[in-house]
Each structure stands twice: as structure tokens, then as C-alpha cells.
Amino acid sequence: MKTKFFFLALAFPFYSVFISAQCKNKQPITNTSVQDITSVAQLQFINRVQKNKLDTLVAVLTNPNIKHIVNESAIVNEIGQLKTKEAYCLLYTCCCRNIVIEDLNEFNMLVGKIKSLGGYQALNKYFLKNAVSSKLKPLDFKTKVIQLCTAKEPVCYSCAIK
């Protein structure tokens, strides 16, 4: 039993790279299609084998073994500091899409972290140029950020695994 688990643990990263590299069902991320995303490997703007800083920051946020030694809020802010289309896609997808969390898969855990650790603030600061007052009540702040970001909705893609 332990051998099977060990093999699966080793094989998963390679399988996710294979999924990303072999995506035949690339689709735009919408409020409907986002419900089908279960793994970060499905996000076409994230490379599972890190090729850039965003990939590395996402890898750190999704690694459960190092969360006690990193400042995850600082990492979410650093994602915003990148000011790239890919960083905007990630923050927008996690914070502005209507995601119904039914299970704690890898993607939903990332969404929860980004939302709770400053994703809205990063969107406001780096992509909206502080257009929303940080003095608003938290719910009003989030609502206004989502409203302004939705007006600048990015086109992002995921791989549908079906």
C-alpha cells in the first residue's frame, strides 16, 4: 500500500505536466468552466515545471510542506507586483470568478489562499492603480474591486479534463 502511494506521489507532477503539455480541450475560463478546474496544471498560463517567477510563486503557495516557513500574504502581493497578463489572469480567476467550492482540491485551496491573503488588495494596487478606497468595509471593497476588474476581464484558458 505504501509503495502504491509513493509511486502515485512521484508520478503526479509528471502527470500534471503531461496534462498541461497535451491539452486537447483548451477552453476560455468563464464563470461556468471555472467549476471544472481541479488542478493548477489545468491553468494554461501557469507552467507546472517552473519557467518564470509566477510559476515559482504558485508552486510555493500550493506546496503544503513549506507553508510554515513562508509569508503567504507577501507571496500573493508579489504575484500582483509582477503586473503581467498571467498574474492578472491568476488573480482575476481566483478572486473575481464565481467559484463554488465543493471539495478541497488543489485549485480550490489556491483560490482560498489568494482570496484570504490579499488577492483583492493586489488587484486593486497593481492592476486598478488603487481605484478602490481601502477604507471601505471589506465586503464593499471586494465588491468594488470585482466590479472594476470585470470591466477589464482577461481572456484566460484552462484545459478541460473530461
Side-chain angles (χ1 to χ4, degrees), residues 9-76:
L10 285 177
F12 180 73
F14 299 109
Y15 176 69
S16 3
V17 169
F18 179 75
I19 290 170
S20 183
Q22 301 295 319
C23 183
K24 293 179 184 175
N25 299 321
K26 186 174 153 182
Q27 66 182 4
I29 299 174
T30 64
N31 286 335
T32 304
S33 70
V34 75
Q35 297 305 130
D36 298 328
I37 301 173
T38 58
S39 169
V40 174
Q42 288 175 258
L43 302 173
Q44 294 296 286
F45 50 89
I46 301 292
N47 301 297
R48 190 58 130 167
V49 176
Q50 293 111 33
K51 294 182 180 177
N52 57 47
K53 189 160 185 170
L54 178 62
D55 300 337
T56 302
L57 294 171
V58 170
V60 170
L61 282 178
T62 57
N63 185 339
N65 298 320
I66 61 173
K67 72 177 191 173
H68 63 286
I69 60 172
V70 296
N71 181 343
E72 292 178 324
S73 295
I75 292 172
V76 172

Side-chain angles (χ1 to χ4, degrees), residues 88-104:
Y88 187 58
C89 276
L90 179 65
L91 293 172
Y92 184 90
T93 300
C94 291
C95 294
C96 300
R97 294 278 177 210
N98 297 324
I99 300 173
V100 178
I101 297 180
E102 294 178 357
D103 63 355
L104 288 179

Side-chain angles (χ1 to χ4, degrees), residues 73 111-120:
S73 295
V111 168
K113 283 184 182 184
I114 288 177
K115 280 185 173 184
S116 65
L117 296 172
Y120 296 101

Side-chain angles (χ1 to χ4, degrees), residues 72-91:
E72 292 178 324
S73 295
I75 292 172
V76 172
N77 185 61
E78 202 170 339
I79 289 171
Q81 284 177 344
L82 296 174
K83 297 181 184 178
T84 62
K85 178 186 183 290
E86 293 80 9
Y88 187 58
C89 276
L90 179 65
L91 293 172

